[in-house]
Structures are given as C-alpha cells and as structure tokens.
Amino acid sequence: MTARPHSLQSRLSLWFAAQTLFGLSVICFAIYLVTAWSFGQKQEEELNQKAVLVEHLLKEADKGGDLVFLRHKLDDFFSMQDDVSLSISHAGKQLFQSSPTAGSRWMRRNLLVPWQQSGLTTQLQVQLGVNTAQEDRLLERLGWTLLGAVVLGTALVSLTGMWLVRRGLRPLKALAERTAAMAPDKANRPIDAMDFAEELRPWITQFNALLLRVQRAYVQLESFNADVAHELRTPLANLIGATELALTRPRGNEELQAVLASNLEEIGRLSGIVTDMLFLSQAESGTPMRTRAAASLAAQAGDVIDFYDAMLEEAGLRAEVKGDAVADVDAALVRRALFNLLGNAIRFAAPASTIRIEIGSEKNHSEVTLAVVNRGEPIDPAALPRLFERFYRAAPARDGSPRHHGLGLSIVEAIARMHGGRVFAASQGGETRIGFTVRRDG
C-alpha cells in the first residue's frame, strides 16, 4: 500500500504551525518557570526576614523570662501581620498560636530557639509560615495567560504562515502552467529562468536542457520513421513490381525462378533491416550482453579477416592486424562490429591497398581501441559527425549496393556503448580511420 501524497502547501503550513506551537510553548513555559522561581526566592527571603524578626522578639522576651510578656509582645506584632503565621510550643504544650487568614496557602519553616526560664536553658519549638496565596493566584493567572498566548499566537502565526506559503508557492504554480504549455516541437521557446525566483532557476535550466534533448529525440524519431518507411518502400515496391510483372502473362519455369530469386533477395534485404532495427532497439532499451569473458581482440579480428578472405581477394586488397589486447567483452558482438567496419573499408578502399585493423590501449589503459584503417577517397568532414546515425550514407553514389541500408555503423555505435565505450571517425591525408573503444575490465 503506497503512502498518500501530501500537498506541499499543507505540509509546509503544518510544519510551520508545529514549529510555532513548539517555540511558543517552550518560551511561555520558560517564562512560567522563571516567574515561579522568582516568587519562590521572594518568599524564601521574606520567610528568612520573619524568622530573624521572631528570633529577635524571643530574645527580647527572654530577658524578662516572662511568658506572659512574650505572648503580649507577639500578639501586638502579629495583629498587623495577616500574611504570617506563628506557632510556639514547649514540651508538647502550646505557648502561642497566631490567627492567620482562612483559606491561605503557607510556606512553613520549623525553628528551635533557646529560652531561659528559672535559670534553666531550654528550647522552644517555633513553626513560622508565610502566606503564598497571592503569588499562587498570580502564577495561576500567568499560566492561563501564557496558555492562551500559545494557542492564539499559534493560530495567528499559522494563518499568516499559510498565507505566506501560498504566496511563496505562486511561482511554482506559474511554472507549472508554463511547463504544461510546452511541447517537444516547441522546445525552441524555452522558459526564461530570469522570470522566476533564484531558487527555481537551476531547476528551470535543467528542464530546458531536458526539453532540448526531448526535442532532439523527437526530431530523430520523426527522421527515423521517415527513413524506415523509405528503406522498406524500395524492396516492397520491387517485390510488388516483379510479382505483378510475372503475372501479366504465362511464364516458363526459368523466368519464374528468376522472379523468385529476385524476390528472395529483396526479402533478405527486408529481413536484414528488421533484424538490425531489432538489435538497435534492444541495445537502446538496456539489454545486457549475453556473454562476457576475457578474449584476445587480435584473435577476433583475425576471424573477421578470414571471413572476408574471398571478398578481399576479389577486390585485390589485403588485410592485416596490428597490435593485441585482452579485454572482458562479448566476443560475438565485437566480431559483428568488426564485420561492419571491415565491410565498409573493403567497399571504399583504394585498389591494391592494405586494410589495417589496429588494436591499442588508451593513455589511462582502462580502454582498448579497435580501428579499421583504409586508404581511399576521403570522407567529407561535414559528414563525419553523422556517420553513426541510422540510415545515413556518406557516399551513396560510391556505394551502389542495394544490400547496404545504412545501419552498419549505428550497430557499431550500439555495441561500443554496450561495452562502456565510444566510437570515433577521422579521414584525412587519403586515409580513413573508423573504430570504437571497449572497457578493458568490461
């Protein structure tokens, strides 16, 4: 069960409210604790002052040694002190008890005070109290006031925060409206990042770059579809034309066999196009290599030269391998790439020349290069960047073969990419060098 997506606005507002509630609660709680501590300190100081005063009164009364005098003096003093309570006892007998205000709350302290009576020293048990009812009421009122401040402050700040969040997210909504109006065929009108907040500009820059790549893929797909239609139309038209011509009148076995042979050749061309397109599609979808093992690249190049031995002899050409390296590769795919490269070189090489398959390492030794080099007419520099595009032919007039449909170098590029490598092409000084790289460790 997937979690339900939350609104960014609601989540920001909720977090804003939660932080406000937490912050105000901590501040108000701290205020309450500091106030309560201050009241406690004040009450302790007041209790200390009263204790010193009571001890002084008892010492004054001690000079006379008369309990009646002591009660009279204490009555006179505490008749004006409603916020102080005093209780004096000796040997379990109550000697004095003040009459404090009813319903009060008290902070009390027990004291032992020396007392002279009949020449003997004894101790009086004194219990002194200070009325804290007023401070307690103030603390209670303060607590409720602070609680109300937390609630009202959180509500006010949350509402303000929601408005600010909604206002702050307006650029995102405007950006969403702009992006909704975009299309792959309108990528030439990118979103101007300067019209939006600085925080959104990196995202807009990346979006424009992505849209540009989408447009390129869109244009490439349209071109690819047109090329496929063009490439399939020719063999299909040949098949239909040859078949219709054969049916115009009765024909002998030899003529029918010739028509079938021609049709078979066109069908083979169709099959080759479909097979190559299927391979390219699988390579682009991330289909992994079937096998991968350490292999001698010179041995793979030698097998390819052996396969083309008859064609090389017929064209009056020679082929040789220069260098060697061992890499983790799919040997069948590497041979297929070399088949395509050597086939191209044979078609365009100068007569009686030697074609070289050069194998070497890059400077960092992490990649191995395989290049097929032939002498012949140079390739137009403007055509070099497009050599590996599907259905692209740099020199269709020189080719002149209906069997080649312009996917060979695209397959080389796909095989290089599957091996973590790249392709390259150069043509200068009457020498053309086309090849690819593979990672040495796969």
Side-chain angles (χ1 to χ4, degrees):
M1 183 177 179
T2 57
R4 195 177 124 205
H6 296 280
S7 165
L8 184 61
Q9 177 177 323
S10 62
R11 294 182 73 175
L12 286 175
S13 300
L14 182 61
W15 276 107
F16 200 49
Q19 289 183 344
T20 303
L21 176 62
F22 177 77
L24 287 178
S25 298
V26 169
I27 293 173
C28 291
F29 186 64
I31 292 174
Y32 182 84
L33 290 179
V34 170
T35 305
W37 178 81
S38 299
F39 282 170
Q41 290 293 107
K42 177 184 175 184
Q43 292 162 357
E44 284 286 344
E45 292 176 3
E46 185 177 358
L47 193 59
N48 290 334
Q49 293 174 0
K50 300 299 181 185
V52 171
L53 182 59
V54 169
E55 289 179 358
H56 177 73
L57 290 175
L58 291 176
K59 287 179 181 179
E60 289 292 326
D62 185 26
K63 295 177 181 179
D66 187 358
L67 290 175
V68 176
F69 175 74
L70 174 61
R71 292 191 187 96
H72 178 70
K73 198 167 186 65
L74 291 174
D75 282 335
D76 289 342
F77 177 75
F78 284 99
S79 63
M80 299 179 295
Q81 300 287 336
D82 293 338
D83 58 344
V84 180
S85 68
L86 179 65
S87 174
I88 302 175
S89 59
H90 179 260
K93 182 180 178 181
Q94 189 80 28
L95 300 181
F96 179 79
Q97 176 69 51
S98 64
S99 300
T101 305
S104 300
R105 299 176 184 176
W106 301 93
M107 176 187 287
R108 300 183 186 276
R109 180 182 295 177
N110 294 320
L111 304 171
L112 292 177
V113 180
W115 174 260
Q116 294 284 340
Q117 187 175 17
S118 303
L120 299 175
T121 301
T122 184
Q123 288 186 331
L124 299 179
Q125 289 82 31
V126 178
Q127 187 181 66
L128 180 64
V130 176
N131 188 3
T132 62
Q134 183 177 3
E135 287 82 357
D136 290 343
R137 285 193 298 270
L138 287 175
L139 274 178
E140 185 177 358
R141 292 173 185 171
L142 178 63
W144 284 108
T145 301
L146 292 176
L147 180 61
V150 168
V151 175
L152 292 177
T154 301
L156 180 62
V157 174
S158 299
L159 291 175
T160 306
M162 289 177 62
W163 179 78
L164 290 175
V165 168
R166 181 177 298 178
R167 184 178 179 85
L169 291 179
R170 284 180 183 174
L172 282 179
K173 293 182 178 179
L175 182 59
E177 294 174 356
R178 291 280 297 275
T179 55
M182 302 297 290
D185 57 345
K186 297 180 180 179
N188 56 345
R189 296 194 297 272
I191 300 174
D192 187 1
M194 301 307 296
D195 292 341
F196 294 88
E198 184 176 354
E199 292 77 7
L200 294 177
R201 290 172 189 171
W203 188 91
I204 295 172
T205 302
Q206 293 298 323
F207 177 80
N208 288 335
L210 173 62
L211 195 63
L212 183 60
R213 292 194 296 270
V214 170
Q215 187 204 27
R216 290 174 180 170
Y218 180 80
V219 172
Q220 186 177 7
L221 179 60
E222 285 190 332
S223 176
F224 175 73
N225 291 336
D227 289 338
V228 168
H230 174 75
E231 292 296 328
L232 295 181
R233 181 179 61 183
T234 301
L236 287 174
N238 292 340
L239 283 173
I240 294 172
T243 304
E244 289 179 343
L245 182 61
L247 294 175
T248 55
R249 60 182 178 82
R251 298 181 181 274
N253 289 338
E254 292 183 0
E255 289 182 306
L256 290 177
Q257 286 179 356
V259 171
L260 290 176
S262 176
N263 289 352
L264 181 60
E265 184 178 352
E266 297 296 339
I267 292 172
R269 183 183 178 190
L270 286 173
S271 177
I273 294 175
V274 172
T275 301
D276 289 345
M277 288 174 55
L278 179 62
F279 175 82
L280 291 172
S281 175
Q282 292 173 342
E284 289 186 353
S285 64
T287 301
M289 293 178 285
R290 291 171 296 180
T291 58
R292 174 179 290 176
S296 168
L297 299 180
Q300 310 308 315
D303 292 342
V304 173
I305 291 176
D306 291 342
F307 177 82
Y308 278 112
D309 190 54
M311 187 179 295
L312 287 166
E313 185 176 353
E314 181 182 353
L317 302 171
R318 292 180 60 253
E320 62 181 12
V321 179
K322 295 186 64 175
D324 190 13
V326 176
D328 280 343
V329 295
D330 186 327
L333 291 180
V334 170
R335 286 196 300 271
R336 183 171 184 178
L338 291 175
F339 279 135
N340 293 343
L341 291 174
L342 185 56
N344 281 345
I346 291 173
R347 293 200 306 276
F348 301 124
S353 62
T354 299
I355 300 173
R356 303 190 309 273
I357 300 180
E358 298 178 349
I359 302 172
S361 298
E362 292 290 315
K363 293 182 179 179
N364 56 10
H365 299 287
S366 64
E367 288 185 336
V368 179
T369 62
L370 297 97
V372 176
V373 183
N374 68 276
R375 299 199 64 81
E377 293 185 20
I379 300 175
D380 183 0
L384 288 175
R386 301 189 58 193
L387 283 182
F388 298 94
E389 294 181 9
R390 297 177 181 180
F391 300 113
Y392 180 75
R393 297 182 179 88
R398 293 191 320 173
D399 189 352
S401 174
R403 293 176 299 170
H404 306 289
H405 41 262
L407 290 176
L409 293 183
S410 297
I411 291 175
V412 173
E413 194 271 339
I415 292 173
R417 190 170 61 249
M418 292 172 71
H419 286 84
R422 54 185 174 79
V423 292
F424 55 86
S427 183
Q428 57 184 358
E431 190 172 80
T432 299
R433 188 171 187 269
I434 303 176
F436 63 100
T437 67
V438 296
R439 293 189 62 84
R440 187 183 293 273
D441 57 359

